[in-house]
Amino acid sequence: MAGSIEKRGKNSYRLVVSAGYGLEGKRKKFTKTVKCKNITQARKELVKFVASVENDTFIEPAKVTLSAFAYKWLEVYAMPNLADKTINTYQGYLDTKILPYIGHMKLSQIKPMHLLDYYKFLKEKYKKKNGEPLSNNSIIKYHKLLNVIFKTAVKWEILSKNPAENISPAKYVKPKHEFYDEEEVKLLISCLKNEPMKYKVAIMITVTAGLRLGELMGLKWEHIDFENNTITIEQANQYLSKKGTFTKDPKNFSSNRTISVPGSITKLIKKYQIEQLENKLKCGDLWEETGFLFTQWNGKAMHPYTPSKWFDKFIKRNGLKKITFHQLRHTSATMLINSGINVRALSSRLGHSNTSTTMNIYAHELKSVDKAAADKLEEMFFETGEKDIK
């Protein structure tokens, strides 16, 4: 593939590469201006430029739109480096919330004011299917994705500056974590008495072990230690429309862990195992051995969202306080905090990458326990009414 260098000015060189032919039969030329100290450095840049054109990774800065670059970013960066679910989420943001509104704009022409106008539109005029406006936190998610894409454009020398770098789209609102208190958990357990065993087990494991839904659905019988009353998490099941149900590594390295559970829970799991073996015998040759705890009628892995959908109907049917299946994990964490567990042990049990994540999510609960501890010390060391040390 041919390439040439033209001197443009002081430390400025124009790289020219010819490759292939256009629709009219004319030779296609790709150009790029670079800053180099000397011709030797410019030649090195030309070699890299030729390689990028040959590999179809070169994007002409003056012509590329946000849409074109965003899809190139997904292909070249996101797909090789990010988890499937994250890619699917980002593609959804781009296809439905970002590109339909600003995707037509030339990447080089997008300024901070354009982004602020876009965020204002999302906040004041955009409506979801149910007629509700977008939350501030949703707009912040779209901004963070755009920031990463523009930052990559700067790194790849498509842009000289990131227009999203120094702007704030909306004020972050810390989500309120709903959960059940001790009495509500007891009521939940009593309502589970006559429910299908697999859902009873799924809920009780989540409440006592604090697993993420994907981790729960990734459990296999080999992960249950009946003798030592432990559960090992080393994989998770997820579902994507383009991929179906699949097994992957847990969320992060710290998510690989072994958790102790009450003996009554392993006894319940044992009963469930016997029930599953009986179902296996009834199915005969139709049973597909996968080793998963939670399966469909024929042994195949249960859809990862099934317990969550069942739980929504269950709490409505029994008149229980509305929380999501994931908030059973928050329930587990909150009960442990109230029991006096230290933050490091709680973080390890939940599979957080560091204790700061745990402290950020459960700051209010930890503060309440700290206040209760201070009140307890007051009660222990000082008589009622005698507040001052004499």
Side-chain angles (χ1 to χ4, degrees):
M1 185 177 289
S4 61
I5 302 174
E6 300 172 3
K7 188 78 164 66
R8 302 288 289 177
K10 185 178 179 180
N11 298 333
S12 179
Y13 298 85
R14 185 169 182 252
L15 310 180
V16 182
V17 174
S18 298
Y21 294 88
L23 294 175
E24 298 177 355
K26 294 181 179 180
R27 190 74 168 161
K28 292 174 66 177
K29 284 189 176 182
F30 298 87
T31 62
K32 179 181 180 181
T33 301
V34 295
K35 294 288 184 180
C36 297
K37 293 180 180 178
N38 50 51
I39 188 66
T40 301
Q41 193 177 51
R43 289 192 184 105
K44 292 179 180 179
E45 290 299 318
L46 178 61
V47 171
K48 291 192 285 186
F49 184 41
V50 169
S52 68
V53 172
E54 287 179 337
N55 296 325
D56 195 30
T57 58
F58 174 67
I59 302 173
E60 294 184 76
K63 298 180 180 179
V64 67
T65 62
L66 175 58
S67 287
F69 184 78
Y71 286 121
K72 179 64 73 172
W73 175 83
L74 280 172
E75 176 192 344
V76 177
Y77 173 77
M79 290 182 180
N81 296 291
L82 303 179
D84 290 337
K85 188 174 182 180
T86 302
I87 295 168
N88 190 66
T89 298
Y90 285 168
Q91 190 150 12
Y93 290 168
L94 289 169
D95 290 344
T96 63
K97 301 299 190 302
I98 298 175
L99 300 183
Y101 305 99
I102 57 174
H104 64 284
M105 297 182 69
K106 294 287 196 303
L107 199 66
S108 59
Q109 295 176 349
I110 298 176
K111 305 299 179 186
M113 188 56 68
H114 294 123
L115 295 179
L116 289 171
D117 285 343
Y118 162 64
Y119 298 142
K120 184 179 180 183
F121 162 76
L122 290 181
K123 188 173 180 63
E124 296 179 359
K125 297 183 179 180
Y126 185 92
K127 301 295 180 184
K128 294 188 287 186
K129 290 181 179 179
N130 60 6
E132 294 181 0
L134 286 171
S135 68
N136 282 7
N137 293 359
S138 292
I139 296 172
I140 290 172
K141 289 177 183 177
Y142 311 144
H143 169 71
K144 286 182 176 179
L145 176 56
L146 282 169
N147 188 37
V148 170
I149 291 173
F150 286 127
K151 189 181 291 185
T152 304
V154 173
K155 187 177 180 181
W156 291 355
E157 299 180 3
I158 305 298
L159 290 179
S160 59
K161 192 172 182 180
N162 176 0
E165 189 173 23
N166 295 314
I167 60 175
S168 300
K171 185 177 180 181
Y172 176 75
V173 180
K174 189 171 182 178
K176 183 180 179 181
H177 295 293
E178 295 290 345
F179 55 87
Y180 284 159
D181 60 25
E182 189 174 336
E183 291 304 314
E184 289 168 329
V185 170
K186 288 178 180 178
L187 180 58
L188 168 71
I189 294 172
S190 68
C191 291
L192 284 171
K193 187 175 181 181
N194 297 316
E195 297 295 339
M197 180 64 80
K198 62 182 175 182
Y199 295 118
K200 187 186 301 185
V201 170
I203 290 173
M204 292 309 299
I205 289 178
T206 305
V207 169
T208 55
L211 271 58
R212 301 177 178 95
L213 181 55
E215 294 171 344
L216 178 74
M217 301 311 291
L219 286 178
K220 289 193 169 187
W221 289 109
E222 64 196 59
H223 299 141
I224 311 299
D225 186 335
F226 290 104
E227 184 177 344
N228 295 303
N229 296 324
T230 62
I231 295 175
T232 297
I233 294 90
E234 58 184 19
Q235 62 184 36
N237 279 7
Q238 285 186 348
Y239 173 84
L240 294 175
S241 57
K242 295 180 180 179
K243 196 172 182 178
T245 299
F246 62 98
T247 302
K248 61 178 282 294
D249 291 333
K251 189 172 184 179
N252 54 62
F253 178 77
S254 300
S255 296
N256 289 278
R257 61 202 190 277
T258 297
I259 299 174
S260 294
V261 293
S264 58
I265 297 301
T266 48
K267 287 179 182 177
L268 183 65
I269 297 172
K270 190 66 179 176
K271 288 181 181 179
Y272 172 54
Q273 184 182 42
I274 293 170
E275 181 182 284
Q276 190 183 90
L277 288 171
E278 291 173 350
N279 290 336
K280 178 181 175 180
L281 290 173
K282 290 177 183 177
C283 284
D285 294 339
L286 296 176
W287 182 268
E288 183 176 320
E289 189 56 65
T290 60
F292 286 110
L293 255 72
F294 301 103
T295 65
Q296 302 175 48
W297 67 271
N298 58 356
K300 290 184 179 181
M302 181 187 287
H303 193 293
Y305 297 153
T306 297
S308 180
K309 291 179 179 179
W310 181 90
F311 184 68
D312 288 344
K313 295 175 183 176
F314 164 76
I315 59 174
K316 187 176 182 179
R317 187 169 67 246
N318 288 278
L320 300 174
K321 184 174 81 175
K322 182 174 175 55
I323 66 170
T324 65
F325 194 93
H326 182 73
Q327 286 167 341
L328 292 174
R329 172 173 159 87
H330 294 315
T331 297
S332 179
T334 304
M335 289 195 301
L336 289 172
I337 291 170
N338 291 334
S339 73
I341 191 173
N342 67 69
V343 175
R344 187 174 296 278
L346 177 62
S347 181
S348 176
R349 189 174 178 88
L350 293 174
H352 286 158
S353 55
N354 51 62
T355 55
S356 62
T357 301
T358 312
M359 294 181 73
N360 182 50
I361 295 174
Y362 299 104
H364 176 75
E365 289 78 14
L366 289 165
K367 187 178 289 186
S368 297
V369 170
D370 184 60
K371 174 65 167 60
D375 292 343
K376 187 68 176 176
L377 289 172
E378 179 79 29
E379 183 182 321
M380 289 170 61
F381 295 120
F382 303 101
E383 293 180 9
T384 305
E386 296 182 6
K387 302 297 182 184
D388 299 323
I389 299 176
K390 298 179 180 178

